[in-house]
Amino acid sequence: MAVLLGVDTGGTYTDAVLIRDETEVLASAKALTTRHDLAVGIGEAVRAVLAASGVAGHEIGMAALSTTLATNALVEGQGERVGLIFIGFREADLVKHGVAEALKGDPVCVLAGGHDHSGSEAQKLDETALLAFLETHKDGVSGWAVAAQFGTRNPGHELRVAEIIAQETGAPVTCSHQLSARLNGPKRAVTAVLNARLIGMIDRLIARAGDSLAEAGIEARLMVVRGDGALMSAQQARMRPIETILSGPAASIVGARWLTGVTDGLVSDIGGTTTDVAVLRDGRPAIDPDGARVGGFRTMVEAVAMRTTGLGGDSQVHVETEGLAGGVRLGPRRVVPVSLMAMDAPDVVRGAMEVQLRSATPGEMDARFARLVPGVSQAGLAEREQALVARIGDGVQPLNAVLRTRMDHGALTKLVGRGVVQLAGVTPSDASHVLGLVDAWDKEAARMAVELMARKRVGTGDRLSESAGDLARTIVTQLQEQTALALLETAFAEEASYFEGAPEVLARHVLTRRGLENHRGLLAVDVALNVPVVGLGASAPTYYPAVGTRLGCEMVLPEHAGVANAVGAIVGRVTVRKSGTITAPSEGRFRVHLDQPEDFGDQTAALTRLETVLRDATTTEARAAGAEDIEVRVYRDIKTAQTEARVVFVEAELTVEATGRPRVALG
């Protein structure tokens, strides 16, 4: 019997699930995600799932991890200091193509060198300037990124620079051609910089996660989920951490397919912070052809095509006071639910709200709280920021006791952005506690918080809502409406060729709204999703049935929807994908762009050579990742041009994909 362990670290919870023989879910468990040290939450979730199942650690045949660490780090601008060697480009390219923005002031050396489109050397590599730059900066960075002009056509200069850096500094080096075979050097440079910035963080996470597994008696191989849903070895993730961005959403889609059997549809995964919507086609997630976008940067990493909305169970509820009726909107910022904060400090949270409820007039800061995040560096804080930190202290504080002037608001925003302070406020999770849909945290604190919000005044001078119950229903309805809009936007984006206008506009168009209501008059207007939606996330069964009704589609809610990411982590396959190019620098000459370009006088011979190299590389890497029963697929894209007399070869791109099941140690 093979028992497999899947772990997913989400924004609010870390999930663990055990699956037997890839056919049966044995048990699942949750623990709060410990953002200051993800391994703590991983250990708690793993110990809980082992206890729930009665399975011993030594019986685990394989473990797999999907993590938000890389994604969150890039979104929040975190990561280690790195240096970039930018070969064959101009200084202006740093700013023009966003490389300087990705560097955030880290050192860069614009170095003479690089190749042309045919792979021939354009300039001699300036090794003297490189050595001088390394001598100046080698003690101030933790890793290096290297990107050369046309480095995918001839990586010789990237490889030589990497060799010199290794000799002179001993620090890890990321070469852009190792992350993508496509053209666009500046974009590869951005990807290489982000990868280098993440190496130390992912290395520490994997090491700590390994320690947590060992403490639970688990000695099995650890795999990591990539952004396209495939598995990679822990060692490969250490070298290419950028490939783990969006691994959580990718794992959820793989999990959705395994849990439901749905092969074509939309997958909507609601978490604490975001709702991620993706398309499932023929049982596989759609891949973003332009590369994953995260933290404002478009990378060259293959990842699931995901439409992410700042909407989740922990989204901050904002009161709309404009107009006569008023209303609420949700997100995009995540806050700690008041009902959860009250679990840690019930006397402070309830006591403060009791005082606020006794006040004749509602306050701007009612039902809002702040606390410091343990383990986050406070170095470099401005004087006003230090004062706020001192007021918050070691516990939970009502926000009206922390903010004394308008200038304090700006300082608090900076502290939240740096991850030093967490804020609590009313969320859909609190509303669900009020309505009895959820009973996990402090229900009375949730009621008090929602009641305080209901007392706020709208344009007419009336209360926002008559009771906590009424407002809670309004909040839940708003979450369902914003979820439906997110699904419609995804559908319109997928079928953009059939419609004119932006998906965001089309989803809110009057014809769409009337169609969802099945308008009948002189016109009959009907709009519905024509595919099923798989609803994932712990709160999906609470919120999503009404979304399916609203959109006129089947809403599939699998039994283990709350741990689909962890399921997807363990049922994924090892997949290695590599591409290569053949060009024709002159008539009758076919150049295969390898580490050292090779020329052939015959097109077939060139194609055979490239395919052989790519097959060997992908199968070797797949085996190194722990794959067995490997299958290889080859995709050829040959571009030609028609002249008056004949068809002329222009360029060919080959992609070889090696896929296999991860090896499992039998218990």
Side-chain angles (χ1 to χ4, degrees):
M1 179 185 75
V3 179
L4 312 178
L5 168 68
V7 179
D8 172 70
T9 62
T12 303
Y13 285 109
T14 292
D15 301 329
V17 64
L18 291 177
I19 294 177
R20 178 168 54 199
D21 295 330
E22 295 191 37
T23 59
E24 175 189 4
V25 175
L26 293 177
S28 63
K30 289 179 176 288
L32 286 173
T33 294
T34 47
R35 292 176 69 92
H36 64 286
D37 184 355
L38 294 177
V40 174
I42 290 172
E44 291 176 355
V46 168
R47 287 190 293 274
V49 78
L50 292 177
S53 65
V55 172
H58 66 83
E59 297 179 71
I60 303 298
M62 189 184 77
L65 171 70
S66 70
T67 174
T68 60
L69 179 63
T71 307
N72 290 344
L74 297 182
V75 168
E76 296 165 10
Q78 299 174 356
E80 300 184 346
R81 182 175 168 83
V82 300
L84 169 65
I85 311 301
F86 203 42
I87 308 166
F89 297 98
R90 300 167 301 168
E91 291 273 358
D93 292 325
L94 291 168
V95 176
K96 183 178 179 181
H97 298 285
V99 182
E101 184 181 357
L103 280 168
K104 299 183 183 298
D106 288 356
V108 57
C109 175
V110 179
L111 195 67
H115 295 79
D116 61 21
H117 69 281
S118 69
S120 299
E121 187 176 73
Q123 271 187 299
K124 184 177 176 60
L125 182 65
D126 190 347
E127 296 187 10
T128 302
L130 172 63
L131 289 168
F133 181 80
L134 294 177
E135 184 62 32
T136 302
H137 296 285
K138 65 182 180 182
D139 295 328
V141 301
S142 63
W144 298 89
V146 182
Q149 191 172 39
F150 288 105
T152 54
R153 294 290 170 86
N154 188 335
H157 285 183
E158 288 194 8
L159 293 171
R160 176 56 181 157
V161 168
E163 181 184 5
I164 293 172
I165 290 174
Q167 291 171 352
E168 297 295 319
T169 73
V173 185
T174 298
C175 291
S176 75
H177 77 276
Q178 295 169 339
L179 298 176
S180 174
R182 288 181 289 167
L183 297 177
N184 195 329
K187 192 171 172 182
R188 287 200 318 276
V190 168
T191 307
V193 165
L194 299 179
N195 188 78
R197 203 182 293 289
L198 292 170
I199 284 176
M201 300 174 69
I202 289 289
D203 183 70
R204 288 190 293 274
L205 170 63
I206 291 173
R208 291 280 293 112
D211 292 342
S212 295
L213 296 180
E215 289 168 5
I218 298 172
E219 299 178 354
R221 174 192 294 109
L222 177 63
M223 307 292 286
V224 180
V225 182
R226 288 198 321 234
D228 62 357
L231 295 175
M232 63 196 307
S233 70
Q235 183 58 34
Q236 290 167 339
R238 281 182 157 111
M239 297 302 296
R240 302 195 300 274
I242 190 71
E243 294 184 8
T244 69
I245 59 175
L246 302 179
S247 73
S252 73
I253 301 170
V254 176
R257 169 75 176 85
W258 190 85
L259 289 168
T260 66
V262 171
T263 58
D264 294 276
L266 297 180
V267 178
S268 184
D269 184 3
I270 180 169
T273 308
T274 62
T275 292
D276 300 313
V277 182
V279 179
L280 196 59
R281 293 196 197 97
D282 298 324
R284 302 180 70 175
I287 301 299
D288 189 337
D290 296 322
R293 176 182 284 278
V294 63
F297 301 107
R298 175 70 74 177
T299 71
M300 299 191 84
V301 175
E302 287 191 347
V304 169
M306 186 73 60
R307 200 172 188 92
T308 298
T309 305
L311 176 69
D314 299 344
S315 290
Q316 183 175 359
V317 179
H318 301 271
V319 176
E320 297 280 11
T321 57
E322 300 295 328
L324 298 180
V328 297
R329 61 181 172 85
L330 310 181
R333 175 182 288 178
R334 173 188 182 270
V335 293
V336 178
V338 174
S339 52
L340 175 57
M341 187 75 85
M343 298 293 286
D344 292 334
D347 293 340
V348 172
V349 173
R350 285 197 188 192
M353 291 193 293
E354 286 174 358
V355 172
Q356 293 164 358
L357 283 167
R358 287 197 295 269
S359 174
T361 57
E364 181 184 356
M365 301 298 165
D366 286 356
R368 299 188 66 192
F369 300 86
R371 70 180 174 195
L372 299 180
V373 179
V376 176
S377 172
Q378 298 175 11
L381 296 183
E383 183 177 348
R384 187 174 295 277
E385 294 163 6
Q386 293 175 3
L388 293 187
V389 168
R391 287 176 208 161
I392 297 172
D394 295 331
V396 174
Q397 294 293 335
L399 206 53
N400 57 8
V402 176
L403 301 179
R404 298 174 182 173
T405 69
R406 285 292 172 187
M407 294 180 69
D408 286 343
H409 288 254
L412 180 65
T413 299
K414 292 179 181 178
L415 290 171
V416 172
R418 282 191 54 174
V420 175
V421 172
Q422 273 185 332
L423 297 180
V426 175
T427 68
S429 296
D430 295 308
S432 295
H433 277 79
V434 172
L435 297 175
L437 302 174
V438 178
D439 187 22
W441 304 324
D442 191 325
K443 183 175 182 178
E444 178 58 18
R447 185 200 65 76
M448 296 169 73
V450 176
E451 174 62 31
L452 283 165
M453 181 170 280
R455 301 194 319 158
K456 293 183 181 292
R457 302 292 171 174
V458 298
T460 60
D462 295 328
R463 284 171 54 114
L464 174 64
S465 194
E466 287 303 312
S467 68
D470 287 343
L471 180 56
R473 279 185 283 274
T474 298
I475 292 169
V476 169
T477 299
Q478 182 65 21
L479 184 144
Q480 292 164 337
E481 178 64 20
Q482 288 182 221
T483 301
L485 286 172
L487 288 162
L488 287 169
E489 288 174 14
T490 302
F492 278 120
E494 281 297 303
E495 302 197 339
S497 60
Y498 297 100
F499 302 95
E500 293 184 4
E504 297 83 358
V505 174
L506 293 169
R508 293 163 176 78
H509 196 281
V510 63
L511 286 175
T512 305
R513 295 202 309 270
R514 295 294 177 263
L516 291 173
E517 297 162 359
N518 304 116
H519 171 82
R520 292 295 183 270
L522 293 178
L523 291 173
V525 185
D526 294 299
V527 171
L529 285 181
N530 197 35
V531 292
V533 174
V534 179
L536 303 178
S539 60
T542 301
Y543 302 129
Y544 277 15
V547 175
T549 301
R550 170 75 167 149
L551 297 176
C553 66
E554 179 186 6
M555 181 61 68
V556 182
L557 299 169
E559 179 183 357
H560 299 285
V563 292
N565 291 30
V567 170
I570 202 59
V571 301
R573 294 172 66 85
V574 175
T575 300
V576 178
R577 204 176 292 109
K578 291 186 180 295
S579 298
T581 305
I582 300 172
T583 60
S586 62
E587 187 174 358
R589 189 153 56 113
F590 301 90
R591 178 164 292 173
V592 180
H593 293 279
L594 306 172
D595 284 356
Q596 291 293 328
E598 299 177 13
D599 288 347
F600 293 82
D602 178 72
Q603 175 182 330
T604 302
L607 289 167
T608 300
R609 172 61 173 157
L610 180 56
E611 181 178 326
T612 300
V613 171
L614 294 177
R615 276 180 176 271
D616 290 345
T618 53
T619 54
T620 298
E621 191 169 321
R623 289 194 186 96
E628 58 185 10
D629 301 328
I630 297 172
E631 300 175 359
V632 177
R633 296 184 180 89
V634 180
Y635 305 93
R636 294 186 174 192
D637 181 13
I638 300 176
K639 296 180 175 65
T640 58
Q642 180 69 51
T643 66
E644 292 182 3
R646 57 196 174 87
V647 175
V648 177
F649 175 92
V650 176
E651 184 177 295
E653 181 175 342
L654 267 66
T655 299
V656 176
E657 181 181 275
T659 304
R661 297 162 55 88
R663 274 196 309 275
V664 176
L666 298 179

